[in-house]
């Protein structure tokens, strides 16, 4: 199957100037030519006229939780069946693809069953790179359930083949075993919580979690698999511990200051801020079914992440893009680009959600830019992203989605 996409203004995801009236050829699942001519395209190629639209690489959300697609309180109180939880996940996967996100990095919540189901094309969804069960310490961020339950009872919320929950691992030996189990679940990288979190019950944002020695074990196991560790972190002390241990990415990053950013730069550590979830929780907290004490924790996280982005940019860090949306309403992934465009520039926001995310995820040879040889993941929007980046927050403005050379959404008139 071949496509010739013509007439659009091209933003290639690498930060270059937009190219008017572009022509991009896709054969099978690969981009075969940019600035294509008829000679670059088979005679039987389908012509896709994108006049008046803007063509971009498929967007990447580098911090998602597909397994947390149901109302959280209903899950924690066992009010939902496995069938309902599965339906919520499949709906969220479809919404993600329709919003123009052709790839995601799942930072905790699904296991190999979802990866296989999407990979086989049994349900529509983006390409997924996943961490399976995040590594958490007892009583730390990601340790679900009531404090009146025994620690191991948190795994009652897990559904093998569908969802994954925080893997409690205290001490070097438990961290090593948990890391290896994550890879058995299909993980392509590891995720650890090294500070308290917003959606937590038994910790505070300024707590540090896991010792440097424990984090080093996860890094060692990731290195053995030729991959990396990313960490949930909301204060500079937790970030510094993780950097010393050898992690390669930090999620959220509130509390990062100039000194911490310099440490990250020296260690080649990237940052993935998550502005969208902070705004969504502020606007519509009740919808998520979270305990009321969590509302107070949301305050200040936006300002903290904006400050972290500014320090990260000054230090030359890779700054990625992640929404961190949870719950049954995950249709605002594009909000992350809209918010980041206010802190960086609209072009930098686009690059963060395309080629930079691909670099952070170590898949830049496959996705993240419109270049010959890359996978044919492309989207077309009916607005100018450089002057109206706020419209990324409206999935309906994404008119065309191509994944692997196949048109999976087309609402052009």
């Amino acid at each position: 199957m071949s496509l010739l996409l013509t007439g659009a203004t091209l933003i290639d995801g690498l930060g270059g100037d937009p190219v008017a009236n572009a022509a991009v050829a896709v054969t099978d699942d690969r981009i075969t030519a940019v600035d294509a001519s008829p000679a670059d395209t088979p005679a039987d190629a389908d012509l896709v006229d994108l006049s008046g639209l803007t063509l971009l690489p498929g967007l990447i959300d580098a911090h998602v939780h597909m397994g947390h697609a149901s109302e959280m309180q209903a899950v924690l109180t066992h009010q939902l069946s496995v069938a309902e939880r599965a339906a919520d996940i499949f709906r969220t996967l479809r919404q993600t693809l329709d919003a123009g996100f052709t790839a995601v990095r799942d930072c905790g919540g699904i296991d190999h069953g979802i990866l296989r189901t999407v990979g086989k094309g049994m349900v529509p969804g983006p390409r997924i790179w996943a961490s399976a069960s995040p590594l958490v310490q007892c009583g730390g961020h990601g340790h679900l359930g009531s404090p009146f339950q025994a620690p191991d009872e948190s795994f009652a919320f897990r559904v093998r083949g569908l969802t994954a929950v925080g893997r409690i691992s205290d001490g070097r030996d438990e961290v090593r075993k948990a890391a290896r189990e994550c890879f058995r679940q299909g993980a392509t990288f590891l995720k650890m919580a090294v500070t308290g979190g917003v959606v937590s019950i038994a910790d505070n944002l300024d707590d540090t979690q896991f010792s440097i020695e424990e984090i080093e074990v996860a890094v060692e196991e990731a290195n053995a698999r030729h991959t990396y560790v990313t960490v949930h972190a909301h204060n500079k002390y937790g970030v510094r511990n993780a950097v010393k241990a050898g992690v390669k990415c930090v999620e959220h990053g509130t509390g990062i200051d100039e000194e911490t950013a310099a440490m990250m730069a020296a260690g080649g550590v990237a940052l993935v801020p998550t502005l969208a979830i902070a705004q969504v929780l502020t606007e519509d907290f009740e919808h998520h079914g979270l305990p009321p004490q969590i509302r107070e924790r949301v305050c200040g996280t936006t300002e903290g992440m904006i400050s972290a982005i500014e320090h990260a940019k000054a230090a030359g860090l890779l700054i990625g893009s992640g929404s961190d949306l949870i719950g049954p309403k995950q249709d605002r992934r594009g909000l992350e680009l809209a918010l980041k465009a206010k802190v960086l520039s609209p072009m930098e926001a686009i690059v963060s959600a395309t080629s930079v995310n691909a670099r952070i995820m170590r898949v830049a040879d496959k996705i993240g830019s419109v270049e010959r040889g890359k996978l044919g993941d492309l989207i077309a929007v009916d607005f100018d992203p450089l002057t109206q980046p706020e419209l990324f927050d409206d999935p309906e403005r994404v008119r065309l989605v191509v994944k692997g050379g196949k048109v999976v959404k087309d609402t052009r008139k």
Side-chain angles (χ1 to χ4, degrees):
M1 179 178 180
S2 297
L3 301 173
L4 180 60
L5 305 133
T6 64
T9 297
L10 173 65
I11 295 177
D12 64 8
L14 298 170
D17 291 336
V19 176
N21 197 30
V24 177
V26 181
T27 300
D28 296 326
D29 66 343
R30 299 280 169 173
I31 297 172
T32 52
V34 181
D35 283 338
S37 67
D40 299 316
T41 312
D44 60 348
D46 290 334
L47 180 63
V48 182
D49 184 2
L50 301 178
S51 299
L53 303 181
T54 302
L55 183 66
L56 304 103
L59 301 175
I60 305 168
D61 190 335
H63 192 122
V64 307
H65 293 290
M66 293 296 172
H68 299 318
S70 300
E71 198 267 328
M72 187 65 73
Q73 196 65 24
V75 172
L76 295 179
T77 53
H78 302 285
Q79 296 178 40
L80 291 178
S81 67
V82 172
E84 290 167 307
R85 292 176 68 182
D88 284 338
I89 292 171
F90 296 151
R91 182 196 66 246
T92 301
L93 288 166
R94 174 81 250 189
Q95 287 177 338
T96 299
L97 193 60
D98 284 348
F101 290 85
T102 55
V104 298
R105 184 179 64 153
D106 192 288
C107 288
I110 58 173
D111 80 357
H112 205 71
I114 294 294
L115 304 182
R116 287 172 57 181
T117 301
V118 177
K120 291 179 178 180
M122 297 171 69
V123 298
R127 304 179 191 278
I128 307 172
W129 283 263
S131 67
S133 296
L135 307 187
V136 305
Q137 72 174 42
C138 185
H141 179 64
H143 186 169
L144 301 176
S146 165
F148 302 109
Q149 293 177 305
D152 289 343
E153 288 184 33
S154 66
F155 253 54
F157 308 119
R158 178 186 180 186
V159 180
R160 282 196 176 273
L162 187 72
T163 65
V165 298
R167 183 84 184 189
I168 302 166
S169 44
D170 297 314
R172 292 170 58 88
D173 290 344
E174 287 188 8
V175 169
R176 192 178 303 280
K177 185 174 182 179
R180 291 173 178 176
E181 169 62 12
C182 287
F183 288 121
R184 193 173 79 94
Q185 288 176 257
T188 49
F189 67 99
L190 296 178
K191 160 89 175 298
M192 297 186 83
V194 301
T195 75
V198 173
V199 184
S200 287
I201 297 174
D203 61 23
N204 296 306
L205 287 176
D206 57 0
D207 292 349
T208 60
Q209 298 174 3
F210 285 116
S211 66
I212 294 174
E213 291 75 21
E214 288 172 313
I215 303 170
E216 284 176 337
V217 172
V219 171
E220 182 181 326
E221 289 298 318
N223 288 343
R225 295 275 187 151
H226 310 290
T227 187
Y228 66 96
V229 176
T230 192
V231 293
H232 157 104
H234 273 292
N235 66 66
K236 64 184 179 182
Y237 303 107
V239 173
R240 291 177 184 179
N241 285 345
V243 172
K244 291 175 183 176
V247 308
K248 290 303 176 185
C249 190
V250 170
E251 312 297 310
H252 318 303
T254 55
I256 289 175
D257 56 14
E258 182 178 356
E259 181 181 351
T260 308
M263 286 181 62
M264 293 172 66
V269 181
L271 172 66
V272 177
T274 54
L275 298 168
I277 185 60
Q279 177 157 320
V280 168
L281 285 177
T282 300
E283 293 175 350
D284 191 15
F285 183 84
E286 287 75 13
H287 183 82
H288 288 79
L290 296 170
Q293 66 266 33
I294 290 174
R295 182 194 296 268
E296 299 177 8
R297 298 186 181 213
V298 179
C299 301
T301 55
T302 296
E303 292 78 6
M305 281 188 281
I306 289 173
S307 177
I309 291 170
E310 292 169 344
H311 287 301
K313 182 177 180 179
L317 304 185
L318 287 179
I319 302 172
S321 183
S323 68
D324 196 20
L325 298 178
I326 57 173
K329 189 177 179 182
Q330 297 192 25
D331 59 351
R332 299 190 66 188
R333 297 197 186 283
L335 175 62
E336 187 66 26
L337 282 84
L339 295 173
K340 196 166 276 106
K342 296 178 181 179
V343 185
L344 303 172
S345 69
M347 181 63 84
E348 287 172 313
I350 293 168
V351 172
S352 75
T354 52
S355 61
V356 169
N357 270 353
R359 291 173 64 187
I360 290 171
M361 293 163 57
R362 302 187 180 185
V363 292
D365 60 325
K366 299 179 176 67
I367 59 174
S369 58
V370 183
E371 295 180 277
R372 183 177 180 179
K374 297 289 182 72
L375 288 167
D377 295 355
L378 301 147
I379 67 169
V381 300
D382 66 359
F383 59 92
D384 180 357
L386 301 183
T387 61
Q388 297 175 295
E390 67 276 6
L391 294 181
F392 278 116
D393 192 22
D394 183 356
E396 293 186 4
R397 305 305 291 267
V398 179
R399 296 297 188 180
L400 181 79
V401 179
V402 178
K403 177 189 171 190
K406 296 181 180 179
V407 175
V408 294
K409 175 186 179 181
D410 189 356
T411 60
R412 294 172 298 152
K413 295 180 180 179

